[in-house]
mmCIF file with all atom_site columns, all heavy atoms in Angstrom:
data_model
loop_
_atom_site.group_PDB
_atom_site.id
_atom_site.type_symbol
_atom_site.label_atom_id
_atom_site.label_alt_id
_atom_site.label_comp_id
_atom_site.label_asym_id
_atom_site.label_entity_id
_atom_site.label_seq_id
_atom_site.pdbx_PDB_ins_code
_atom_site.Cartn_x
_atom_site.Cartn_y
_atom_site.Cartn_z
_atom_site.occupancy
_atom_site.B_iso_or_equiv
_atom_site.pdbx_formal_charge
_atom_site.auth_seq_id
_atom_site.auth_comp_id
_atom_site.auth_asym_id
_atom_site.auth_atom_id
_atom_site.pdbx_PDB_model_num
ATOM   1   N N   . ARG A 1 173 ? 42.846 47.694 31.471 1.00 0.00 ? 268  ARG A N   1
ATOM   2   C CA  . ARG A 1 173 ? 43.885 46.670 31.661 1.00 0.00 ? 268  ARG A CA  1
ATOM   3   C C   . ARG A 1 173 ? 43.866 46.097 33.073 1.00 0.00 ? 268  ARG A C   1
ATOM   4   O O   . ARG A 1 173 ? 44.188 44.950 33.277 1.00 0.00 ? 268  ARG A O   1
ATOM   5   C CB  . ARG A 1 173 ? 45.273 47.275 31.435 1.00 0.00 ? 268  ARG A CB  1
ATOM   6   C CG  . ARG A 1 173 ? 45.513 47.730 30.035 1.00 0.00 ? 268  ARG A CG  1
ATOM   7   C CD  . ARG A 1 173 ? 46.460 46.749 29.334 1.00 0.00 ? 268  ARG A CD  1
ATOM   8   N NE  . ARG A 1 173 ? 46.270 46.858 27.889 1.00 0.00 ? 268  ARG A NE  1
ATOM   9   C CZ  . ARG A 1 173 ? 46.911 47.729 27.124 1.00 0.00 ? 268  ARG A CZ  1
ATOM   10  N NH1 . ARG A 1 173 ? 47.838 48.499 27.649 1.00 0.00 ? 268  ARG A NH1 1
ATOM   11  N NH2 . ARG A 1 173 ? 46.657 47.799 25.840 1.00 0.00 ? 268  ARG A NH2 1
ATOM   12  N N   . HIS A 1 211 ? 43.235 39.071 34.185 1.00 0.00 ? 306  HIS A N   1
ATOM   13  C CA  . HIS A 1 211 ? 43.095 37.983 33.211 1.00 0.00 ? 306  HIS A CA  1
ATOM   14  C C   . HIS A 1 211 ? 43.711 36.678 33.698 1.00 0.00 ? 306  HIS A C   1
ATOM   15  O O   . HIS A 1 211 ? 43.446 35.617 33.152 1.00 0.00 ? 306  HIS A O   1
ATOM   16  C CB  . HIS A 1 211 ? 43.698 38.373 31.859 1.00 0.00 ? 306  HIS A CB  1
ATOM   17  C CG  . HIS A 1 211 ? 45.105 38.902 31.934 1.00 0.00 ? 306  HIS A CG  1
ATOM   18  N ND1 . HIS A 1 211 ? 46.180 38.112 32.254 1.00 0.00 ? 306  HIS A ND1 1
ATOM   19  C CD2 . HIS A 1 211 ? 45.607 40.155 31.733 1.00 0.00 ? 306  HIS A CD2 1
ATOM   20  C CE1 . HIS A 1 211 ? 47.287 38.846 32.227 1.00 0.00 ? 306  HIS A CE1 1
ATOM   21  N NE2 . HIS A 1 211 ? 46.973 40.098 31.930 1.00 0.00 ? 306  HIS A NE2 1
ATOM   22  N N   . TYR A 1 213 ? 46.684 35.378 33.538 1.00 0.00 ? 308  TYR A N   1
ATOM   23  C CA  . TYR A 1 213 ? 47.710 34.682 32.761 1.00 0.00 ? 308  TYR A CA  1
ATOM   24  C C   . TYR A 1 213 ? 49.093 34.792 33.412 1.00 0.00 ? 308  TYR A C   1
ATOM   25  O O   . TYR A 1 213 ? 50.081 34.341 32.847 1.00 0.00 ? 308  TYR A O   1
ATOM   26  C CB  . TYR A 1 213 ? 47.745 35.222 31.324 1.00 0.00 ? 308  TYR A CB  1
ATOM   27  C CG  . TYR A 1 213 ? 46.658 34.624 30.457 1.00 0.00 ? 308  TYR A CG  1
ATOM   28  C CD1 . TYR A 1 213 ? 45.469 35.298 30.229 1.00 0.00 ? 308  TYR A CD1 1
ATOM   29  C CD2 . TYR A 1 213 ? 46.811 33.359 29.900 1.00 0.00 ? 308  TYR A CD2 1
ATOM   30  C CE1 . TYR A 1 213 ? 44.470 34.741 29.448 1.00 0.00 ? 308  TYR A CE1 1
ATOM   31  C CE2 . TYR A 1 213 ? 45.820 32.790 29.124 1.00 0.00 ? 308  TYR A CE2 1
ATOM   32  C CZ  . TYR A 1 213 ? 44.646 33.480 28.906 1.00 0.00 ? 308  TYR A CZ  1
ATOM   33  O OH  . TYR A 1 213 ? 43.652 32.914 28.139 1.00 0.00 ? 308  TYR A OH  1
ATOM   34  N N   . HIS A 1 253 ? 54.942 30.308 30.556 1.00 0.00 ? 348  HIS A N   1
ATOM   35  C CA  . HIS A 1 253 ? 55.536 31.252 31.510 1.00 0.00 ? 348  HIS A CA  1
ATOM   36  C C   . HIS A 1 253 ? 54.760 31.208 32.806 1.00 0.00 ? 348  HIS A C   1
ATOM   37  O O   . HIS A 1 253 ? 53.611 30.771 32.841 1.00 0.00 ? 348  HIS A O   1
ATOM   38  C CB  . HIS A 1 253 ? 55.492 32.677 30.948 1.00 0.00 ? 348  HIS A CB  1
ATOM   39  C CG  . HIS A 1 253 ? 54.131 33.047 30.424 1.00 0.00 ? 348  HIS A CG  1
ATOM   40  N ND1 . HIS A 1 253 ? 53.757 32.854 29.111 1.00 0.00 ? 348  HIS A ND1 1
ATOM   41  C CD2 . HIS A 1 253 ? 53.036 33.559 31.032 1.00 0.00 ? 348  HIS A CD2 1
ATOM   42  C CE1 . HIS A 1 253 ? 52.512 33.245 28.929 1.00 0.00 ? 348  HIS A CE1 1
ATOM   43  N NE2 . HIS A 1 253 ? 52.041 33.664 30.086 1.00 0.00 ? 348  HIS A NE2 1
ATOM   44  N N   . MET A 1 300 ? 55.872 38.143 33.025 1.00 0.00 ? 395  MET A N   1
ATOM   45  C CA  . MET A 1 300 ? 55.649 36.761 32.591 1.00 0.00 ? 395  MET A CA  1
ATOM   46  C C   . MET A 1 300 ? 56.956 36.075 32.215 1.00 0.00 ? 395  MET A C   1
ATOM   47  O O   . MET A 1 300 ? 57.262 35.870 31.032 1.00 0.00 ? 395  MET A O   1
ATOM   48  C CB  . MET A 1 300 ? 54.673 36.750 31.399 1.00 0.00 ? 395  MET A CB  1
ATOM   49  C CG  . MET A 1 300 ? 53.301 37.282 31.776 1.00 0.00 ? 395  MET A CG  1
ATOM   50  S SD  . MET A 1 300 ? 52.169 37.276 30.368 1.00 0.00 ? 395  MET A SD  1
ATOM   51  C CE  . MET A 1 300 ? 50.612 37.460 31.230 1.00 0.00 ? 395  MET A CE  1
ATOM   52  N N   . ARG A 1 331 ? 43.321 23.791 27.401 1.00 0.00 ? 426  ARG A N   1
ATOM   53  C CA  . ARG A 1 331 ? 43.704 24.691 26.313 1.00 0.00 ? 426  ARG A CA  1
ATOM   54  C C   . ARG A 1 331 ? 45.086 25.189 26.695 1.00 0.00 ? 426  ARG A C   1
ATOM   55  O O   . ARG A 1 331 ? 45.317 25.614 27.836 1.00 0.00 ? 426  ARG A O   1
ATOM   56  C CB  . ARG A 1 331 ? 42.672 25.825 26.229 1.00 0.00 ? 426  ARG A CB  1
ATOM   57  C CG  . ARG A 1 331 ? 42.973 26.935 25.209 1.00 0.00 ? 426  ARG A CG  1
ATOM   58  C CD  . ARG A 1 331 ? 43.718 28.084 25.863 1.00 0.00 ? 426  ARG A CD  1
ATOM   59  N NE  . ARG A 1 331 ? 43.769 29.260 25.007 1.00 0.00 ? 426  ARG A NE  1
ATOM   60  C CZ  . ARG A 1 331 ? 44.580 30.291 25.201 1.00 0.00 ? 426  ARG A CZ  1
ATOM   61  N NH1 . ARG A 1 331 ? 45.423 30.295 26.222 1.00 0.00 ? 426  ARG A NH1 1
ATOM   62  N NH2 . ARG A 1 331 ? 44.564 31.321 24.404 1.00 0.00 ? 426  ARG A NH2 1
ATOM   63  N N   . ASP A 1 333 ? 48.147 27.602 26.558 1.00 0.00 ? 428  ASP A N   1
ATOM   64  C CA  . ASP A 1 333 ? 48.508 28.982 26.229 1.00 0.00 ? 428  ASP A CA  1
ATOM   65  C C   . ASP A 1 333 ? 49.889 29.046 25.565 1.00 0.00 ? 428  ASP A C   1
ATOM   66  O O   . ASP A 1 333 ? 50.825 28.364 26.002 1.00 0.00 ? 428  ASP A O   1
ATOM   67  C CB  . ASP A 1 333 ? 48.520 29.789 27.543 1.00 0.00 ? 428  ASP A CB  1
ATOM   68  C CG  . ASP A 1 333 ? 48.567 31.281 27.306 1.00 0.00 ? 428  ASP A CG  1
ATOM   69  O OD1 . ASP A 1 333 ? 47.676 31.794 26.611 1.00 0.00 ? 428  ASP A OD1 1
ATOM   70  O OD2 . ASP A 1 333 ? 49.497 31.942 27.815 1.00 0.00 ? 428  ASP A OD2 1
ATOM   71  N N   . VAL A 1 334 ? 50.017 29.886 24.561 1.00 0.00 ? 429  VAL A N   1
ATOM   72  C CA  . VAL A 1 334 ? 51.290 30.080 23.842 1.00 0.00 ? 429  VAL A CA  1
ATOM   73  C C   . VAL A 1 334 ? 51.927 28.711 23.543 1.00 0.00 ? 429  VAL A C   1
ATOM   74  O O   . VAL A 1 334 ? 53.140 28.513 23.710 1.00 0.00 ? 429  VAL A O   1
ATOM   75  C CB  . VAL A 1 334 ? 52.283 30.956 24.638 1.00 0.00 ? 429  VAL A CB  1
ATOM   76  C CG1 . VAL A 1 334 ? 53.287 31.642 23.702 1.00 0.00 ? 429  VAL A CG1 1
ATOM   77  C CG2 . VAL A 1 334 ? 51.599 32.011 25.473 1.00 0.00 ? 429  VAL A CG2 1
ATOM   78  N N   . GLU A 1 362 ? 46.966 26.556 21.721 1.00 0.00 ? 457  GLU A N   1
ATOM   79  C CA  . GLU A 1 362 ? 46.723 27.912 21.213 1.00 0.00 ? 457  GLU A CA  1
ATOM   80  C C   . GLU A 1 362 ? 47.830 28.241 20.205 1.00 0.00 ? 457  GLU A C   1
ATOM   81  O O   . GLU A 1 362 ? 48.925 28.646 20.573 1.00 0.00 ? 457  GLU A O   1
ATOM   82  C CB  . GLU A 1 362 ? 46.731 28.952 22.341 1.00 0.00 ? 457  GLU A CB  1
ATOM   83  C CG  . GLU A 1 362 ? 46.305 30.326 21.812 1.00 0.00 ? 457  GLU A CG  1
ATOM   84  C CD  . GLU A 1 362 ? 47.092 31.494 22.378 1.00 0.00 ? 457  GLU A CD  1
ATOM   85  O OE1 . GLU A 1 362 ? 48.102 31.275 23.071 1.00 0.00 ? 457  GLU A OE1 1
ATOM   86  O OE2 . GLU A 1 362 ? 46.712 32.630 22.103 1.00 0.00 ? 457  GLU A OE2 1
ATOM   87  N N   . HIS A 1 365 ? 48.496 29.685 13.723 1.00 0.00 ? 460  HIS A N   1
ATOM   88  C CA  . HIS A 1 365 ? 48.937 29.415 12.354 1.00 0.00 ? 460  HIS A CA  1
ATOM   89  C C   . HIS A 1 365 ? 48.832 27.929 12.048 1.00 0.00 ? 460  HIS A C   1
ATOM   90  O O   . HIS A 1 365 ? 48.463 27.142 12.905 1.00 0.00 ? 460  HIS A O   1
ATOM   91  C CB  . HIS A 1 365 ? 50.382 29.880 12.183 1.00 0.00 ? 460  HIS A CB  1
ATOM   92  C CG  . HIS A 1 365 ? 50.520 31.344 12.416 1.00 0.00 ? 460  HIS A CG  1
ATOM   93  N ND1 . HIS A 1 365 ? 50.337 32.269 11.439 1.00 0.00 ? 460  HIS A ND1 1
ATOM   94  C CD2 . HIS A 1 365 ? 50.764 32.044 13.551 1.00 0.00 ? 460  HIS A CD2 1
ATOM   95  C CE1 . HIS A 1 365 ? 50.475 33.485 11.944 1.00 0.00 ? 460  HIS A CE1 1
ATOM   96  N NE2 . HIS A 1 365 ? 50.733 33.371 13.222 1.00 0.00 ? 460  HIS A NE2 1
ATOM   97  N N   . HIS A 1 428 ? 38.888 36.446 23.743 1.00 0.00 ? 523  HIS A N   1
ATOM   98  C CA  . HIS A 1 428 ? 39.344 37.507 24.652 1.00 0.00 ? 523  HIS A CA  1
ATOM   99  C C   . HIS A 1 428 ? 40.590 38.212 24.109 1.00 0.00 ? 523  HIS A C   1
ATOM   100 O O   . HIS A 1 428 ? 41.046 39.178 24.695 1.00 0.00 ? 523  HIS A O   1
ATOM   101 C CB  . HIS A 1 428 ? 39.638 36.894 26.018 1.00 0.00 ? 523  HIS A CB  1
ATOM   102 C CG  . HIS A 1 428 ? 40.812 35.950 25.992 1.00 0.00 ? 523  HIS A CG  1
ATOM   103 N ND1 . HIS A 1 428 ? 40.839 34.820 25.191 1.00 0.00 ? 523  HIS A ND1 1
ATOM   104 C CD2 . HIS A 1 428 ? 41.996 35.978 26.618 1.00 0.00 ? 523  HIS A CD2 1
ATOM   105 C CE1 . HIS A 1 428 ? 41.994 34.203 25.342 1.00 0.00 ? 523  HIS A CE1 1
ATOM   106 N NE2 . HIS A 1 428 ? 42.718 34.880 26.214 1.00 0.00 ? 523  HIS A NE2 1
ATOM   107 N N   . ASP A 1 429 ? 41.153 37.698 23.008 1.00 0.00 ? 524  ASP A N   1
ATOM   108 C CA  . ASP A 1 429 ? 42.343 38.306 22.399 1.00 0.00 ? 524  ASP A CA  1
ATOM   109 C C   . ASP A 1 429 ? 42.016 39.100 21.136 1.00 0.00 ? 524  ASP A C   1
ATOM   110 O O   . ASP A 1 429 ? 42.937 39.608 20.488 1.00 0.00 ? 524  ASP A O   1
ATOM   111 C CB  . ASP A 1 429 ? 43.353 37.208 22.007 1.00 0.00 ? 524  ASP A CB  1
ATOM   112 C CG  . ASP A 1 429 ? 44.103 36.649 23.208 1.00 0.00 ? 524  ASP A CG  1
ATOM   113 O OD1 . ASP A 1 429 ? 44.158 37.326 24.252 1.00 0.00 ? 524  ASP A OD1 1
ATOM   114 O OD2 . ASP A 1 429 ? 44.626 35.530 23.093 1.00 0.00 ? 524  ASP A OD2 1
ATOM   115 N N   . ASP A 1 473 ? 41.366 43.720 23.032 1.00 0.00 ? 568  ASP A N   1
ATOM   116 C CA  . ASP A 1 473 ? 41.696 43.611 24.458 1.00 0.00 ? 568  ASP A CA  1
ATOM   117 C C   . ASP A 1 473 ? 42.194 44.981 24.963 1.00 0.00 ? 568  ASP A C   1
ATOM   118 O O   . ASP A 1 473 ? 43.101 45.528 24.344 1.00 0.00 ? 568  ASP A O   1
ATOM   119 C CB  . ASP A 1 473 ? 42.777 42.520 24.562 1.00 0.00 ? 568  ASP A CB  1
ATOM   120 C CG  . ASP A 1 473 ? 43.633 42.601 25.831 1.00 0.00 ? 568  ASP A CG  1
ATOM   121 O OD1 . ASP A 1 473 ? 43.172 43.156 26.829 1.00 0.00 ? 568  ASP A OD1 1
ATOM   122 O OD2 . ASP A 1 473 ? 44.772 42.083 25.783 1.00 0.00 ? 568  ASP A OD2 1
ATOM   123 N N   . ARG A 1 477 ? 36.383 42.558 26.791 1.00 0.00 ? 572  ARG A N   1
ATOM   124 C CA  . ARG A 1 477 ? 36.244 41.825 28.070 1.00 0.00 ? 572  ARG A CA  1
ATOM   125 C C   . ARG A 1 477 ? 35.259 42.500 29.015 1.00 0.00 ? 572  ARG A C   1
ATOM   126 O O   . ARG A 1 477 ? 35.457 42.505 30.238 1.00 0.00 ? 572  ARG A O   1
ATOM   127 C CB  . ARG A 1 477 ? 37.628 41.689 28.720 1.00 0.00 ? 572  ARG A CB  1
ATOM   128 C CG  . ARG A 1 477 ? 38.621 40.963 27.823 1.00 0.00 ? 572  ARG A CG  1
ATOM   129 C CD  . ARG A 1 477 ? 40.034 40.949 28.373 1.00 0.00 ? 572  ARG A CD  1
ATOM   130 N NE  . ARG A 1 477 ? 40.942 40.211 27.475 1.00 0.00 ? 572  ARG A NE  1
ATOM   131 C CZ  . ARG A 1 477 ? 42.219 39.971 27.728 1.00 0.00 ? 572  ARG A CZ  1
ATOM   132 N NH1 . ARG A 1 477 ? 42.772 40.416 28.844 1.00 0.00 ? 572  ARG A NH1 1
ATOM   133 N NH2 . ARG A 1 477 ? 42.954 39.293 26.876 1.00 0.00 ? 572  ARG A NH2 1
HETATM 134 C C1  . ARE B 2 .   ? 48.356 43.092 27.948 1.00 0.00 ? 1727 ARE B C1  1
HETATM 135 C C2  . ARE B 2 .   ? 47.640 44.138 27.146 1.00 0.00 ? 1727 ARE B C2  1
HETATM 136 C C3  . ARE B 2 .   ? 48.224 44.280 25.770 1.00 0.00 ? 1727 ARE B C3  1
HETATM 137 C C4  . ARE B 2 .   ? 49.673 44.669 25.914 1.00 0.00 ? 1727 ARE B C4  1
HETATM 138 C C5  . ARE B 2 .   ? 50.382 43.608 26.765 1.00 0.00 ? 1727 ARE B C5  1
HETATM 139 C C6  . ARE B 2 .   ? 51.833 43.973 27.037 1.00 0.00 ? 1727 ARE B C6  1
HETATM 140 O O1  . ARE B 2 .   ? 46.272 43.781 27.095 1.00 0.00 ? 1727 ARE B O1  1
HETATM 141 O O2  . ARE B 2 .   ? 47.528 45.252 25.006 1.00 0.00 ? 1727 ARE B O2  1
HETATM 142 O O3  . ARE B 2 .   ? 50.288 44.702 24.637 1.00 0.00 ? 1727 ARE B O3  1
HETATM 143 O O4  . ARE B 2 .   ? 49.701 43.457 28.019 1.00 0.00 ? 1727 ARE B O4  1
HETATM 144 O O5  . ARE B 2 .   ? 51.938 44.757 28.114 1.00 0.00 ? 1727 ARE B O5  1
HETATM 145 C C7  . ARE B 2 .   ? 47.615 37.916 28.568 1.00 0.00 ? 1727 ARE B C7  1
HETATM 146 C C8  . ARE B 2 .   ? 46.456 38.866 28.696 1.00 0.00 ? 1727 ARE B C8  1
HETATM 147 C C9  . ARE B 2 .   ? 46.678 40.113 27.845 1.00 0.00 ? 1727 ARE B C9  1
HETATM 148 C C10 . ARE B 2 .   ? 48.020 40.744 28.201 1.00 0.00 ? 1727 ARE B C10 1
HETATM 149 C C11 . ARE B 2 .   ? 49.124 39.713 28.012 1.00 0.00 ? 1727 ARE B C11 1
HETATM 150 C C12 . ARE B 2 .   ? 50.469 40.253 28.455 1.00 0.00 ? 1727 ARE B C12 1
HETATM 151 O O6  . ARE B 2 .   ? 45.270 38.222 28.306 1.00 0.00 ? 1727 ARE B O6  1
HETATM 152 O O7  . ARE B 2 .   ? 45.641 41.051 28.117 1.00 0.00 ? 1727 ARE B O7  1
HETATM 153 O O8  . ARE B 2 .   ? 48.233 41.839 27.304 1.00 0.00 ? 1727 ARE B O8  1
HETATM 154 O O9  . ARE B 2 .   ? 48.827 38.564 28.844 1.00 0.00 ? 1727 ARE B O9  1
HETATM 155 O O10 . ARE B 2 .   ? 50.408 40.614 29.766 1.00 0.00 ? 1727 ARE B O10 1
HETATM 156 C C13 . ARE B 2 .   ? 50.391 35.971 20.326 1.00 0.00 ? 1727 ARE B C13 1
HETATM 157 C C14 . ARE B 2 .   ? 50.747 34.665 21.018 1.00 0.00 ? 1727 ARE B C14 1
HETATM 158 C C15 . ARE B 2 .   ? 49.547 34.115 21.734 1.00 0.00 ? 1727 ARE B C15 1
HETATM 159 C C16 . ARE B 2 .   ? 48.967 35.136 22.712 1.00 0.00 ? 1727 ARE B C16 1
HETATM 160 C C17 . ARE B 2 .   ? 48.645 36.403 21.915 1.00 0.00 ? 1727 ARE B C17 1
HETATM 161 C C18 . ARE B 2 .   ? 48.134 37.498 22.832 1.00 0.00 ? 1727 ARE B C18 1
HETATM 162 O O11 . ARE B 2 .   ? 51.225 33.732 20.056 1.00 0.00 ? 1727 ARE B O11 1
HETATM 163 O O12 . ARE B 2 .   ? 49.941 32.973 22.460 1.00 0.00 ? 1727 ARE B O12 1
HETATM 164 O O13 . ARE B 2 .   ? 49.835 36.880 21.236 1.00 0.00 ? 1727 ARE B O13 1
HETATM 165 N N1  . ARE B 2 .   ? 47.759 34.662 23.418 1.00 0.00 ? 1727 ARE B N1  1
HETATM 166 C C19 . ARE B 2 .   ? 47.790 34.113 24.787 1.00 0.00 ? 1727 ARE B C19 1
HETATM 167 C C20 . ARE B 2 .   ? 46.478 34.394 25.528 1.00 0.00 ? 1727 ARE B C20 1
HETATM 168 C C21 . ARE B 2 .   ? 46.454 35.842 25.947 1.00 0.00 ? 1727 ARE B C21 1
HETATM 169 C C22 . ARE B 2 .   ? 47.514 36.025 27.027 1.00 0.00 ? 1727 ARE B C22 1
HETATM 170 C C23 . ARE B 2 .   ? 48.800 35.420 26.676 1.00 0.00 ? 1727 ARE B C23 1
HETATM 171 C C24 . ARE B 2 .   ? 48.922 34.577 25.605 1.00 0.00 ? 1727 ARE B C24 1
HETATM 172 C C25 . ARE B 2 .   ? 49.910 35.551 27.613 1.00 0.00 ? 1727 ARE B C25 1
HETATM 173 O O14 . ARE B 2 .   ? 45.394 34.004 24.773 1.00 0.00 ? 1727 ARE B O14 1
HETATM 174 O O15 . ARE B 2 .   ? 45.214 36.254 26.448 1.00 0.00 ? 1727 ARE B O15 1
HETATM 175 O O16 . ARE B 2 .   ? 47.686 37.451 27.232 1.00 0.00 ? 1727 ARE B O16 1
HETATM 176 O O17 . ARE B 2 .   ? 49.677 34.578 28.629 1.00 0.00 ? 1727 ARE B O17 1
HETATM 177 C C26 . ARE B 2 .   ? 49.282 37.005 15.328 1.00 0.00 ? 1727 ARE B C26 1
HETATM 178 C C27 . ARE B 2 .   ? 50.453 36.159 15.791 1.00 0.00 ? 1727 ARE B C27 1
HETATM 179 C C28 . ARE B 2 .   ? 50.129 35.391 17.051 1.00 0.00 ? 1727 ARE B C28 1
HETATM 180 C C29 . ARE B 2 .   ? 49.691 36.393 18.078 1.00 0.00 ? 1727 ARE B C29 1
HETATM 181 C C30 . ARE B 2 .   ? 48.418 37.054 17.573 1.00 0.00 ? 1727 ARE B C30 1
HETATM 182 C C31 . ARE B 2 .   ? 47.836 38.042 18.558 1.00 0.00 ? 1727 ARE B C31 1
HETATM 183 O O18 . ARE B 2 .   ? 48.395 36.287 14.579 1.00 0.00 ? 1727 ARE B O18 1
HETATM 184 O O19 . ARE B 2 .   ? 50.862 35.274 14.842 1.00 0.00 ? 1727 ARE B O19 1
HETATM 185 O O20 . ARE B 2 .   ? 51.262 34.684 17.510 1.00 0.00 ? 1727 ARE B O20 1
HETATM 186 O O21 . ARE B 2 .   ? 49.445 35.705 19.304 1.00 0.00 ? 1727 ARE B O21 1
HETATM 187 O O22 . ARE B 2 .   ? 48.671 37.727 16.355 1.00 0.00 ? 1727 ARE B O22 1
HETATM 188 O O23 . ARE B 2 .   ? 48.715 39.080 18.803 1.00 0.00 ? 1727 ARE B O23 1
#
Side-chain angles (χ1 to χ4, degrees):
R268 295 254 157 87
H306 51 70
Y308 280 98
H348 49 269
M395 297 180 164
R426 175 267 192 195
D428 193 57
V429 205
E457 187 220 9
H460 299 273
H523 67 300
D524 284 339
D568 158 24
R572 302 174 179 184

